[in-house]
């Protein structure tokens, strides 16, 4: 996500980077991990690469 992401300026991408950073800083936090998953999916959707 940090090196080769199709859309690196969108709000979902920025939100996902922040959420993933928080989840990495506190890996025991279920809520941080859930937020990171949701944010990542939103960023993938924004970039047009989400697969369901």
């Amino acid at each position: 996500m940090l090196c080769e992401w199709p859309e690196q300026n969108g709000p979902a991408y920025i939100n996902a980077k922040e959420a993933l950073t928080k989840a990495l800083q506190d890996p025991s936090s279920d809520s941080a991990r859930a937020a990171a998953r949701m944010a990542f999916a939103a960023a993938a959707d924004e970039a047009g690469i989400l697969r369901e």
Side-chain angles (χ1 to χ4, degrees):
M1 179 167 206
L2 296 176
C3 297
E4 295 185 30
W5 196 258
E7 177 57 51
Q8 294 187 1
N9 297 317
Y13 173 80
I14 294 166
N15 184 48
K17 279 191 357 183
E18 292 171 2
L20 289 167
T21 298
K22 287 179 185 177
L24 288 170
Q25 291 172 341
D26 188 6
S28 64
S29 171
D30 291 339
S31 62
R33 290 193 321 264
R37 279 191 297 273
M38 290 176 41
F40 183 85
D45 187 41
E46 176 181 79
I49 60 171
L50 180 65
R51 289 188 175 176
E52 295 187 41

